[in-house]
Amino acid sequence: MNMSTQLNSNQQEAIACTKGPLLVLAGAGSGKTRVITSKIAQLIREEFVPESHILAVTFTNKAAGEMKRRAMGMLNRPHLGTTISTFHSLCLRILRREAVLLGYTSNFSVCDSADALSLIKRILSETGRKNQKEYAPKKVQALISAVKNQSASDRKLEQLPAIDQILDQYDAALRQNDLMDFDDLLLNTVAIFEQNPSILAHYQSQFPYMLVDEFQDTNATQYRLIRLLAETAIHICVVGDEDQSIYGWRGADFENILNFPRDFDGCRVIKLEKNYRSTSKILDIANAVISHNSMRNPKVLYSDIHTDGEFVLYEAPMPQEEGVFIAKQVQALRQQGVPLNDIAVLYRANYLSRTMEDAFRRRNIPYRIVGGYKFYDRKEIKDILGYLRIIRNPSDNLSFRRIVNVPRRKIGPATIEKLESIHPVLFKSLEQLPDRFPRKQELKEFHSIIESFRKREDFGPDFLRDLIERIGYIEMLKAEEETLEAETRMENLSELVTVVGDYLDAEENPTLNGFLDTVSLLSDTDEIEDDDRVNLMTIHCAKGLEFNSVFVCGLEEGTFPNQRTMGSSRELEEERRLMYVAITRAKQNLYLSFSRERGWKWDMNRKKMSRFVKEIPLNLLKVNRPVTGLSHSRLLTAAHSSSIQPKHPNSDNSESTCTIQKGDTVMHHSYGEGAVLNVVNGNRMVVKFKRAGIKVLNSRLVQLKKD
DNA sequence: TTATGACGTATTTTT
DNA sequence: TACGTCATAA
Ligand SMILES: Nc1ncnc2c1ncn2[C@@H]1O[C@H](COP(=O)(O)OP(=O)(O)OP(=O)(O)O)[C@@H](O)[C@H]1O
């Protein structure tokens, strides 16, 4: 047995258990994923289970791909008929066959979050809620999802009483457009199963063996789906760790772990307590942090790896210095022979990657951003996909609105509104245009382009090339962008053509539907990148991964934990779990860093060190400071050597950002003269202008008028 | 009615 | 920086 297939006795026990329900409960790096992978191989090889009878559910497409690759490696097979996928891809596959039962066509499309958001914006403005702050589109979108999954808190429902009405309109619009959002994929599958016992039975018998990874991050709907599918299963195995539950904000509920033994009779519970990933010192740090959570069951996690490593805490005066520190450390690690691939820089939010990128670029250190801004989010890609979607599904008003005037056809909002009154399905209205109608020529031309491609049965690279050619997209790019920008966009389009080619090669019977499905769920960059680069990603993105050396940056109060989570202990504990996940990605070296100031170039704010760092006993970390920052380093030393925080009464921001006070008279370039009524946070102020009335604005926009 | 440019504001995490 | 909104020009 080689290293990559070794199993300890608890793991072996978990794998040997192939009947009935099984819950594997274990901390980070204890080999849960390995248990699932080995179990797939074991079932096929030793128990002669037909490979198609196994269903394994993972959290991301990337994880699914990786698991499949490993299982094929263990079985020494070039192909594997086992379904290994995310809940969403699984449901989409089922719905393509069954959704007609719910009144969708078999060509329904999946609406991504951006499309859904634009629909929500339209509904909000149609109902006159456009500029109401409590109905911020993103908030509404999150709440819609929560309501659909029955995980909305009463407090939030009360805050937005109109949510029911908005939700009705939203769902009605999706239905009319033959669209499903991400939640619908799961909900509609559950609905079909609940309403059609024979269909449920069919899928139950197709998957008598069910395995679920990252179980702590399943939401109520996913759990229902598991219960339905596993009702008659020979074996259902779920693995998870409540300390790694980091998707509560999306409706995930780690209580599912506690409910599982109750809901599945005769459930066995196996715990794995040995960590194979990290040194014992890293686990000490991780445990110190997570032990501050109250909503958890304490558990044992130990490591036999007692080798040394570096555990550094770095205080930077500014984000740029933080970047420089990380870049320098990376270079040092590289000197020591650590591959860049085995190094990760983790952060709470995507925007924090900017300063890191700068630092790496300046020093010519190769890096890659995992997740973040996606290929399929680019304008040109979404435009072309919009065409493909309207070709496949003419009811898709969202895509219609997106592309009907791209490239410019002089068809604006006013014309679209007229179309709407002819037929609620915009594309259909093109077939019923009255004799006199604005832009009739352009509309008919657009219609005939779409129709001509709908008739073609030869979806593939040439189809796509013809489409791009026919709509004049390249000319549009050349005409309206500077050449450099146009250049990259054109490269992206030819990349898309290549993607279609790859899809055609990989698929046995390729269809436009199939391609769009793959694309709409494939959010992470799935390409196997094997060139040696430092990995930059959010902590959420790093779940399930491991690296020799891990940097966690932006460890300030308000950044991590994020400001918005600091009001609720539930959310704060989720932030702490996120910190736990971050720390436990490291095998050997761990570098924590924060900056004493954070913000935008023009709006920097003083920050305190994150409480999560304070929760680590000082003797576990080596504290570093930049030479230039010495004069300002009281914060860190004081924070760590005693519990007393040195107070910086407003002197912090007032001197650097704002010399204007309440009562001053100020000038604004367009509002004119006004009196300052109030100053908030040192940089935002309420001003009563003589002509323009009361405004709230940033202090940098006004000048102090000397009396 | 559409296109364009100035100006304001806002950044959590993702299937 | 980047995006959406608003006012104005064509
Ligand atoms: N019995 C074992 N012997 C040696 N190495 C092991 C063993 N089991 C697992 N490992 C290794 O330990 C590391 C962590 O395993 P794995 O990713 O399966 O853990 P996990 O519990 O899924 O982690 P996480 O909860 O962080 O996702 C991997 O590098 C894996 O190869």
Side-chain angles (χ1 to χ4, degrees), chain A residues 3-9 11 26-35 37 70 213-214 216 239-241 244 272 274-278 542-546 581 584-585 587:
Chain A
M3 268 296 286
S4 67
T5 55
Q6 269 172 22
L7 298 162
N8 66 30
S9 61
Q11 289 174 318
S30 56
K32 296 184 294 295
T33 305
R34 181 181 282 204
V35 163
T37 315
R70 292 234 180 113
D213 200 4
E214 308 280 14
Q216 74 281 352
V239 311
D241 174 9
Q244 291 186 72
L272 308 177
K274 182 163 176 177
N275 173 303
Y276 291 93
R277 174 184 298 146
S278 313
K543 189 166 78 149
L545 305 179
E546 56 189 26
V581 170
T584 55
R585 297 311 94 195
K587 294 188 214 166

